[in-house]
Amino acid sequence: MTHLDELEAESIYILRETASQFQKPAILFSGGKDSIVVTYLAYKAFYPAKLPFPLVHIDTGHNFKETLEYRDSLVKKLGADLIVGSVQKSIDEGKVKEETGYNASRNMLQTTTLLDTIEENKFDACIGGARRDEEKARAKERIFSHRDEFGQWNPKNQRPELWNIFNGKKNVGEHFRVFPISNWTEMDVWQYIYKENIPLPSLYYTHTRKCFFRDGQYLAAEPCIKRRPEEVVVEKQVRCRTIGDITCTGLTLSTAHTIEDIIAETAASRVTERGGRADDKRSETAMEDRKINGYFSSIPKV
């Protein structure tokens, strides 16, 4: 067995354990490569039966159109069920307040919509694509990561995980986030995508896009981002290394047109995968603060 075979076997075991221990699990689907790999692993784990988990997408209203097109085509291809939670609906109902200004983003507003979606559908486990190598806060996660009745995460209140023994016991109102690819690296994900020939949104490949430069990175020039007078729109050859809300997804200058190109580019990069995520730069503990409040990936991680 190669190391990818071993990682795949571990992830499939985790997904099957999730199906056996929980009553109503779901996959948190962002349209990024990690949630795509998790979805394909789940499809493989239960084939030829139907995918037993619905895909849950929290739509900020500021998604790349390529992400939404890919999501809909994947749902049709796999015959999966899709549940969409709308941040715009949360804003319209007064549950969250729209940010304003040049750095406004709906990324943090996803938390309320996600927790409402979990509550409305009575999900007791949400499967995410977070990996421990991505960010220091994610390195603290267990594979079965407990959430209290308010959907919040307490790193000091996690269950021990001995070898491959996972404890899904919970009280009424509590739920778990499950991370089947916790032990994978970014390079493992790309190599697995290459090995399995998994199709991806076109955003991951080099393309020409109108963008502007801010705080050391390029961002897409879209109506949902308010630009400063000095921020000039230019056309660049770019790709997304990680995919999220348009307002916080950095664009990487690139010439990678194939998975092989991406693997080579990733191997040579000296910038972390989330180095282009503007939402992680709001504070030293930006990711952990969001996770404690019930953030998506604790998504993500497209």
Side-chain angles (χ1 to χ4, degrees):
M1 292 178 69
T2 67
H3 82 287
L4 289 179
D5 293 328
E6 292 175 353
L7 288 171
E8 179 190 70
E10 178 188 56
S11 298
I12 286 176
Y13 171 78
I14 292 166
L15 288 161
R16 289 173 177 167
E17 277 292 295
T18 303
S20 68
Q21 291 198 39
F22 298 100
Q23 295 297 314
K24 198 172 182 184
I27 293 176
L28 299 179
F29 186 82
S30 67
K33 67 183 187 309
D34 298 316
S35 64
I36 291 169
V37 165
V38 167
T39 302
Y40 271 89
L41 285 165
Y43 182 76
K44 196 169 189 177
F46 298 98
Y47 183 84
K50 181 183 177 181
L51 186 68
F53 315 121
L55 302 187
V56 175
H57 181 223
I58 304 303
D59 184 0
T60 66
H62 293 163
N63 296 106
F64 289 100
K65 65 179 180 62
E66 294 93 334
T67 303
L68 299 180
E69 290 169 357
Y70 179 90
R71 178 198 70 186
D72 294 341
S73 66
L74 181 65
V75 166
K76 183 177 180 180
K77 176 182 177 181
L78 301 185
D81 295 324
L82 174 66
I83 295 171
V84 178
S86 170
V87 173
Q88 184 62 57
K89 181 181 177 185
S90 297
I91 294 170
D92 294 342
E93 292 176 349
K95 294 180 178 180
V96 294
K97 184 178 180 181
E98 182 99 69
E99 293 183 1
T100 59
Y102 293 115
N103 294 312
S105 173
R106 289 184 175 182
N107 202 47
M108 291 187 68
L109 306 187
Q110 293 182 84
T111 300
T112 297
T113 308
L114 171 63
L115 294 177
D116 285 349
T117 303
I118 291 172
E119 174 63 26
E120 288 167 12
N121 292 277
K122 306 302 179 187
F123 294 129
D124 57 354
C126 293
I127 304 163
R131 308 185 323 269
R132 289 177 178 142
D133 75 318
E134 286 182 272
E135 204 270 343
K136 59 187 177 182
R138 287 183 171 176
K140 297 179 181 180
E141 289 280 13
R142 297 290 195 268
I143 289 175
F144 274 25
S145 187
H146 176 263
R147 295 297 186 274
D148 65 19
E149 65 271 26
F150 301 106
Q152 296 178 330
W153 173 72
N154 183 349
K156 296 180 180 179
N157 190 31
Q158 298 300 305
R159 281 81 183 276
E161 289 183 344
L162 307 175
W163 298 284
N164 60 352
I165 300 173
F166 303 114
N167 182 355
K169 186 177 180 181
K170 57 181 176 53
N171 296 315
V172 175
E174 299 175 344
H175 73 277
F176 277 77
R177 306 288 170 90
V178 178
F179 304 111
I181 62 171
S182 284
N183 293 327
W184 296 46
T185 66
E186 181 186 9
M187 183 61 78
D188 293 330
V189 170
W190 283 117
Q191 290 177 336
Y192 188 77
I193 289 169
Y194 175 73
K195 173 178 174 287
E196 296 292 309
N197 194 27
I198 297 174
L200 294 173
S202 59
L203 291 165
Y204 277 114
Y205 302 100
T206 297
H207 57 284
T208 302
R209 183 174 291 273
K210 291 183 178 179
C211 52
F212 65 96
F213 198 70
R214 173 185 290 178
D215 298 333
Q217 67 184 1
Y218 284 99
L219 294 172
E222 297 285 347
C224 59
I225 306 181
K226 184 179 180 181
R227 297 191 304 276
R228 297 182 175 91
E230 68 274 13
E231 291 174 334
V232 180
V233 175
V234 294
E235 282 195 350
K236 293 286 184 179
Q237 291 286 299
V238 296
R239 71 176 188 88
C240 294
R241 190 171 170 186
T242 177
I243 295 176
D245 186 272
I246 289 174
T247 60
C248 63
T249 300
L251 304 174
T252 302
L253 296 176
S254 176
T255 58
H257 295 280
T258 66
I259 296 294
E260 296 98 317
D261 293 340
I262 292 174
I263 290 172
E265 191 173 271
T266 301
S269 177
R270 293 296 175 265
V271 178
T272 63
E273 180 180 7
R274 293 189 67 89
R277 289 296 293 265
D279 50 334
D280 287 355
K281 299 177 181 180
R282 291 193 168 198
S283 73
E284 268 294 309
T285 58
M287 170 63 81
E288 185 151 345
D289 293 341
R290 295 197 303 275
K291 281 159 57 64
I292 287 171
N293 289 325
Y295 179 64
F296 199 120
S297 297
S298 59
I299 262 242
K301 259 313 73 349
V302 24

